[in-house]
Amino acid sequence: MFNGALTALVTPFRDGSVDETALRDLIEWQIQSGIDGLVPCGSTGESATLSHSEHDAVIKITIEQTRRRVPVVAGTGSNSTAEAIRLTAAAREMGADGALLISPYYNKPTQDGIFRHYKTIAASVDLPLIVYNIPGRTGSNIAPETFARLAEIKNVVGVKEASGSMDQSSDILHLCGEKLTILSGDDALTLPLMSLGAKGVISTTSNIMPREMHDLAAAALGKDFDRAREIHFQMLPVMRALFIETNPIPVKQALAFMGKCANELRMPLVTMTAGLAEKLRTAMKESHLI
């Protein structure tokens, strides 16, 4: 269900509120461009600064607009296990196909604490769960051996792996085999990870290049690595430009350049500095995006 390229959707804002029209238009464009799935309310969607009512509303809008044409994997993670259960249960009630749960941040739980966090959520909500490992944001890493334990839990079905370590990713793939679907959490590592057996990516870049990211993942899944490599190198300058400041600052600017949403972020995130915004514009022009 969760193979290919899934977009970690931005949350468009206008005048301080969620821009529902822009969100629906963005979702429709994503689907028409061939994207394989949508992931609202992740870190790219600025979930940390959404109120609980906004969080639920964004997921509901995404499910409504998608109309079962592609899977919707709702971001429902929290550093509070009880809150993560509430968010995940709400997503299930709204009709989400799965949930993406970031590893608890700031608390820095032990490996056993991380395992019990996910085990408790899985026992509480009957929904396919994808574990999100991004040590750069959480302050702790989920060890490959912990993933092997998590793989034994029935409704833990996948991993968004964004440690940036090919060694770690290799160990997860080796230990978990076919028990977990491994998805890249780093756009530029999508092809290397898929060459080892990963099944796709949850992508920031596909917010502005959905067709290209779909084509890259489809080529890799089809073992056409010459074609996948060609697309990878075509996309690489834009991938790099989208991370020259903290995500999702550049991708919001990129979507604004394309006229798809306002360049509006929630504090404490602020818009790009002029010089870096010009570097992003140049990369997008060279890739014929604007």
Side-chain angles (χ1 to χ4, degrees):
M1 179 184 290
F2 305 133
N3 290 354
L6 292 80
T7 297
L9 280 170
V10 304
T11 302
F13 299 118
R14 186 172 293 277
D15 300 326
S17 299
V18 174
D19 186 342
E20 180 175 341
T21 299
L23 178 57
R24 288 185 182 274
D25 288 346
L26 181 61
I27 291 165
E28 196 60 35
W29 177 61
Q30 289 281 318
I31 294 170
Q32 294 302 322
S33 299
I35 205 65
D36 300 297
L38 296 168
V39 185
C41 296
S43 51
T44 304
E46 297 176 74
S47 60
T49 49
L50 295 176
S51 68
H52 282 191
S53 61
E54 286 176 327
H55 191 283
D56 291 346
V58 168
I59 293 171
K60 184 178 180 182
I61 290 165
T62 305
I63 292 167
E64 286 178 353
Q65 189 64 36
T66 300
R67 300 193 302 277
R68 297 291 178 187
R69 289 174 288 174
V70 298
V72 174
V73 180
T76 61
S78 173
N79 63 341
S80 161
T81 304
E83 183 174 290
I85 290 170
R86 190 207 72 77
L87 291 169
T88 306
R92 183 184 183 279
E93 288 301 308
M94 285 184 275
D97 299 289
L100 175 71
L101 293 111
I102 194 167
S103 180
Y105 44 87
Y106 191 77
N107 315 51
K108 297 188 75 172
T110 63
Q111 292 299 304
D112 193 51
I114 291 170
F115 171 76
R116 293 187 187 201
H117 171 78
Y118 287 109
K119 183 178 181 180
T120 301
I121 298 166
S124 301
V125 186
D126 185 16
L127 190 69
L129 307 180
I130 297 176
V131 176
Y132 183 11
N133 186 39
I134 182 166
R137 286 188 184 261
T138 64
S140 63
N141 181 52
I142 305 177
E145 293 77 13
T146 302
F147 278 117
R149 293 178 70 192
L150 291 168
E152 300 302 320
I153 299 172
K154 178 185 173 183
N155 50 326
V156 174
V157 300
V159 179
K160 180 182 179 183
E161 171 53 27
S163 67
S165 168
M166 290 299 295
D167 280 349
Q168 159 130 339
S169 300
S170 296
D171 287 341
I172 295 169
L173 284 157
H174 177 68
L175 287 172
C176 299
E178 296 299 314
K179 292 181 180 179
L180 290 179
T181 296
I182 313 300
L183 301 168
S184 177
D186 293 297
D187 288 339
L189 293 182
T190 301
L191 178 55
L193 285 178
M194 292 189 74
S195 73
L196 292 172
K199 301 300 183 184
V201 60
I202 297 178
S203 170
T204 295
T205 305
S206 58
N207 275 283
I208 64 169
M209 303 180 79
R211 172 61 64 183
E212 294 86 346
M213 189 59 82
H214 163 79
D215 288 348
L216 189 159
L221 284 171
K223 308 300 182 186
D224 186 354
F225 288 108
D226 287 341
R227 176 61 178 151
R229 189 161 47 246
E230 179 185 358
I231 300 168
H232 167 83
F233 284 119
Q234 288 173 354
M235 296 183 69
L236 194 56
V238 173
M239 289 181 186
R240 287 174 171 162
L242 287 176
F243 292 93
I244 53 178
E245 285 194 9
T246 301
N247 181 51
I249 293 171
V251 73
K252 272 280 183 77
Q253 177 66 79
L255 286 165
F257 283 149
M258 297 171 77
K260 294 194 177 294
C261 74
N263 187 26
E264 185 174 324
L265 299 132
R266 285 266 172 95
M267 288 282 285
L269 296 184
V270 296
T271 55
M272 291 185 82
T273 56
L276 292 179
E278 192 54 38
K279 288 184 178 180
L280 174 60
R281 185 196 295 271
T282 298
M284 292 178 70
K285 282 184 175 179
E286 290 175 352
S287 294
H288 308 291
L289 296 172
I290 52 175

